[in-house]
Amino acid sequence: MTISIRNISLFAVTALLFVIVGQVQSWSLSLSILNLCLISAIMALGVNIQWGYAGLLNVGVMGFAALGGLAAVLVSSPPVAAAWSVGGGNLLVGLLIAALTVGLIVWCYYDMRGTKRRVLIAIVAVAGYFATRAFWDPAADAIEAVDPAATGFLGGAGMPIIFAWLIGGLFAAGAAWIVGKISLGLRSDYLAIATLGISEIIIAMLKNEDWLTRGVKNVIGLPRPVPYEVDIQQSAYFQELAADWGMSIIELSSMVVKLSYAGLFAIVLLIVLYLSETALRSPWGRMMRAIRDNETAAEAMGKDVKGRHLQVFILGSAVVGIAGAMLTTIDGQFTPSSYQPLRFTFLIWAMVIVGGSGNNWGAVLGGFIIWFFWVEAEPIGLWFMDLITSSMDESNPLRLHLLDSAAHIRLMAMGVIMLLVLRFAPQGLIPERRR
Amino acid sequence: MDILNALAVLFNFLVIPAMAYGSQLALGALGVTLVYGVLRFSNFAHGELMAFGTMTTILVMWMLQSVGITGGFLPTALIAMPVGILVAVLLALGTDRLVYKFYRKQKSPPVIFLIGSLAVMFFYNGLIRFVIGPEDQNVADGVRFIFTAGDFKRWSGLDEGIAFRTTQGISILVAILCVAALFWFLNKTKTGKSMRAYSDNENLALLSGVNPERVVVIAWVLAASLATIAGTMYGMDKTFKPFIYLQLLLPIFASAIVGGLGSPIGAVVGGFIIAFSEIAVTFAYKKVIGYLTPGDWVPDGLVQLLSTDYKFAVSFAILVVVLLVRPTGIFKGQTI
Amino acid sequence: MSFLLGKNMTGGYGGADILHDCTIGVEKGEVAVVVGPNGAGKSTAMKAVFGMLNIREGNVTMDGEDITALTPQARVQKGMGFVPQTHNVFTSMSVEENLEMGAFIRNDDISGTMAQVFDLFPILKEKRNQPAGELSGGQRQQVAVGRALMTQPKVLMLDEPTAGVSPIVMDELFDRIIEIARTGIAILMVEQNAKQALNIADKGYVLAQGRNLYTDTGEALLADPDVRKAFLGG
């Protein structure tokens, strides 16, 4: 057996946590946490593919997740015909010119040398920039002027949101290809810094390109892949069921919806997990580990280290993108300003480190445990602060400040947990299997 | 054609802010580069170290203000800063003791240090929010302007004014003093030279009798001091907000890498390159063009190359170009 | 009893032993040269004497004092100077700063020693403000040797000082090394250019597979037909 008793019991304890929350707080909350745990686990798998398989540091998880969110908008929102008619054409021309410019620059870069190359690249870049903006700016303005309170953007393809999960992966993979091309093959720090940069830029773009994402006005009411609560409440079958089980129909409907999400997410998680495990066991996985453990030796044996790194970086980012699209799906809305690096990058890292880098099951467990803790730390922190300050006067400023700041304790706690794991159990809860 | 007024606009909105911002970035990048040179990893917690030092400075500033001590026409934060520096240094040294020292003994690869610094960043971040909260804090008091736009207009008789804020002046002056002191230390003192030697060639420095732990301590003392100063300057000039310092990490790293990671002179030059490019690219040239073109020809738009929200993209673009063309940076990096 | 003596040293870098009962030593004012084929353990023997690897058996003494347990840094304090084969200068620092770093452990006036080094290697005085990384290979070796001399060592140990330099520079460097020995410093060096090195050696050690094969004066080794045939190319 590859999965030991220890690992099974770790997962069992995690399952128990959900039961406790279900009993003590509410089952609805327990299911909400579970859904986000499933998404977190997929994201952690993506980072684990990069870090655990190949030792690549991606500090821009946030950006790739946000690209998944963008995909959800672009796939599922209904298209805004008026916006397309006022600006769509010009926008596409602008896009074409931009693409042409980049293509020309790349061609100049590879095909020429010396001063000629530099001058030509500068000319092409400047000319391309102004030509693009000449078409782009009026188009964007026109689109954003179309009923700004309700739309003001191009809208999406109006397709089922579930397709966005795949498209989100492709978006993230595309961004990863660009970042990887630039920064792989240099020191590992540079990849970390480059990914940090690209993620900030992606977020800035999502916040400001209103014609694409409505920016900080957010896109709300994205269609769901599962039934709506109101529809369930109408159904006679469920009304009977609720009566039989002695639950309110509102509670039942919300649980049914959450369970259907959980089912979908679990399917994706299992597929990704299965593929990751298969890949890890395959000759490809063996080669990846060989490269990670001794790059020089692998290179000397004729392995294309940079190419393999690019491959694994793209794959991992794609998985993060899929999870990002799923997250926007369950939120039902796309809010660019909600993407914070602490929540979307560093928390995922905590999952991978705590779970066990290099082990897919570990990443999944880490995703569950860390997200669970992240959510539950707030009430626990508040309870704790209340306890230690209970002897103080109700209006004692220190007590008020401590109660007020209890929410921030989880950040500190997360840092400490990561440091403790790194120091005393660097392999994580479920260590990488040596074979 | 009105070149003087055009220059005034450029100075007021581009050159002076970029000088101040560049000074702040240079101080931040120096800290990153010193830690890189000696401990050989990119410290992702540096932004939070800046925020922490600034926070301590603010707390001391409040205490001083509450007992009626102010800096007069200068910001009170300047008086409070030494305490902020001291506490930040203690935090950095404590962190080194508890976290990084272990990995040094293990001779862990740099990437482990880097991940450790991510965890440290998490902790600092929570600590700062726990103590002072996530809100904006005003750091600057005292006289707001060295000279105002009105002063300048009266003095020069131009239509456009140039305002020079006290905090901008202080940023530039403090940066000059710090950089001068640091370079004197690194180039003229025995301890400073031993630090450069350690950064250049660790084994040979050990053979020469340099004590590595002492070099590491000095590196942290310098990095934490510079971080506090940079953070306070930035906070005075703009505003103190914990999450802004996390975002400053990108331009700071870009500065350090553009100049050459590990090269102090590179960090300073890189800081100004990033600051000037960031502001020049996001600057609205409308007025300047209006003054420089004959007649009343004024362009319609703002004539802005990129919207201000994309200032990160500027740091990033420069970073990318450097990584592609010259990964070691302008001044060959990797050593102090 | 030599001034510096590594006696019956056995040990390696943690894995299998590289040195087997190996003995090397040098007197004050003498040049001792360790030669042998690739992989003979020449550099290892030198590093063992300097304390850069742990020896399981045998001991190292200097001036009669047992220094086997000391760290390399402590041995520098005791008066040993070591010039590694590669990475032996601070490339980003000026020649003068390199020499200053050599004297890092000294708290007295170092200008006299620096003047001596400049007398020995006049080219360094000329290039004193140039970064050591910009110098030619031969000049770098001079900086490296100069740096080691700055502690005023009693013993100078050189690991292949002529690796990668032209024959003319090599002769020049050997001349300087003899000059240094004449001031009363003991010199122990590992050399790849066996013939030329034995020419200037008061004492020579031929090692093979971590063992002493021949030990004699340089002159005698050069004259020994077995040594010539096996190691000096006839």
Side-chain angles (χ1 to χ4, degrees), chain A residues 39-52:
Chain A
I39 295 174
S40 301
I42 297 172
M43 252 186 227
L45 272 177
V47 175
N48 184 46
I49 289 172
Q50 296 171 335
W51 166 243

Side-chain angles (χ1 to χ4, degrees), chain A residues 285-429:
Chain A
R286 242 185 341 265
M287 178 178 64
M288 287 319 303
R289 283 194 306 278
I291 291 177
R292 180 195 61 188
D293 293 340
N294 193 338
E295 228 168 88
T296 325
E299 199 141 37
M301 285 189 295
K303 306 292 179 206
D304 174 12
V305 171
K306 201 181 162 189
R308 293 290 84 76
H309 275 172
L310 186 62
Q311 206 174 35
V312 85
F313 185 66
I314 290 174
L315 284 174
S317 300
V319 172
V320 172
I322 292 171
M326 290 161 62
L327 190 66
T328 304
T329 306
I330 193 170
D331 285 345
Q333 55 180 351
F334 181 65
T335 47
S337 51
S338 68
Y339 289 97
Q340 300 292 336
L342 280 178
R343 152 76 181 86
F344 279 92
T345 297
F346 300 113
L347 197 62
I348 309 299
W349 268 97
M351 294 169 186
V352 176
I353 297 293
V354 171
S357 25
N359 188 308
N360 292 317
W361 291 98
V364 171
L365 182 72
F368 271 80
I369 291 182
I370 293 293
W371 182 260
F372 183 88
F373 179 78
W374 184 251
V375 175
E376 286 295 321
E378 210 166 332
I380 294 171
L382 204 61
W383 168 81
F384 180 71
M385 281 298 160
D386 201 38
L387 188 76
I388 60 167
T389 60
S390 56
S391 60
M392 294 182 196
D393 190 59
E394 277 295 315
S395 58
N396 185 319
L398 182 64
R399 177 183 153 88
L400 290 176
H401 176 80
L402 285 178
L403 286 177
D404 222 28
S405 311
H408 305 307
I409 289 185
R410 64 181 183 179
L411 292 165
M412 277 194 273
M414 203 56 74
V416 172
I417 291 174
M418 260 177 98
L419 286 172
L420 288 177
V421 170
L422 277 173
R423 168 87 176 250
F424 296 107
Q427 301 277 319
L429 287 174

Side-chain angles (χ1 to χ4, degrees), chain B residues 25 35 37 60 93 98 150-151 155 193 195 197 212 220 225 241 245 273 278 324 331:
Chain B
L25 283 186
V35 170
V60 176
L93 290 178
L98 291 173
D151 291 341
W155 173 78
K193 283 179 189 175
M195 221 170 132
W220 280 118
S225 310
K241 206 173 195 179
Y245 290 87
I273 291 178
E278 211 173 81
L324 287 176
F331 298 87

Side-chain angles (χ1 to χ4, degrees), chain A residues 51 57 129 133 187 189-190 194 197 201 205 208-209 341-342 346 401-402 405 408 411-412 415 418 422-423, chain B residues 36 42 98 102-103 111 115 118-119 121-123 125-127 129-131 257 304-305 309-310 313 316 327:
Chain A
W51 166 243
L57 267 175
Y129 171 80
R133 280 195 62 173
R187 271 187 59 113
D189 304 39
Y190 288 149
I201 292 172
M205 191 187 85
N208 294 293
E209 298 305 316
L342 280 178
F346 300 113
H401 176 80
L402 285 178
S405 311
H408 305 307
L411 292 165
M412 277 194 273
M418 260 177 98
L422 277 173
R423 168 87 176 250
Chain B
Y36 186 88
S42 309
L98 291 173
F102 173 77
Y103 301 110
V111 80
I115 292 181
L118 293 181
M121 188 208 77
F122 236 127
F123 179 77
N125 202 297
L127 186 66
R129 282 160 202 240
F130 182 71
V131 175
I257 292 179
Q304 197 179 10
L305 291 172
D309 307 292
Y310 286 117
F316 186 74

Side-chain angles (χ1 to χ4, degrees), chain B residues 140-323:
Chain B
D141 56 358
V143 178
R144 260 176 66 70
F145 289 98
I146 296 175
F147 54 83
T148 63
D151 291 341
F152 182 82
K153 280 187 204 167
R154 269 190 300 283
W155 173 78
S156 64
L158 290 175
D159 295 337
E160 291 295 334
I162 297 180
F164 194 31
R165 287 208 310 275
T166 319
T167 52
Q168 292 171 328
I170 292 174
S171 286
I172 297 168
L173 190 69
V174 166
I176 292 172
L177 290 178
C178 285
V179 170
L182 182 70
F183 279 84
W184 175 81
F185 171 77
L186 288 175
N187 291 317
K188 297 289 174 216
T189 67
K190 201 172 165 183
T191 312
K193 283 179 189 175
S194 73
M195 221 170 132
R196 281 167 58 216
Y198 183 83
S199 157
D200 181 319
N201 188 334
E202 195 179 325
N203 288 327
L204 199 59
L206 294 179
L207 282 185
S208 308
V210 175
N211 177 356
E213 286 304 306
R214 187 154 171 267
V215 172
V216 167
V217 165
I218 294 167
W220 280 118
V221 169
L222 290 174
S225 310
L226 290 166
T228 308
I229 297 169
T232 308
M233 294 302 134
Y234 187 85
M236 287 198 306
D237 196 22
K238 311 262 164 50
T239 173
F240 173 83
K241 206 173 195 179
F243 84 86
I244 282 188
Y245 290 87
L246 190 59
Q247 295 184 328
L248 268 182
L249 207 54
L250 180 63
I252 284 178
F253 273 134
S255 307
I257 292 179
V258 166
L261 257 180
S263 153
I265 181 84
V268 175
V269 174
F272 284 98
I273 291 178
I274 296 289
F276 269 90
S277 343
E278 211 173 81
I279 297 184
V281 171
T282 55
F283 178 70
Y285 288 93
K286 177 177 179 159
K287 251 183 170 174
V288 177
I289 293 176
Y291 277 119
L292 288 182
T293 44
D296 293 332
W297 190 82
V298 175
D300 295 334
L302 290 168
V303 200
Q304 197 179 10
L305 291 172
L306 267 183
S307 112
T308 326
D309 307 292
Y310 286 117
K311 56 178 191 226
F312 296 120
V314 181
S315 315
F316 186 74
I318 295 174
L319 191 65
V320 166
V321 171
V322 169
L323 289 184

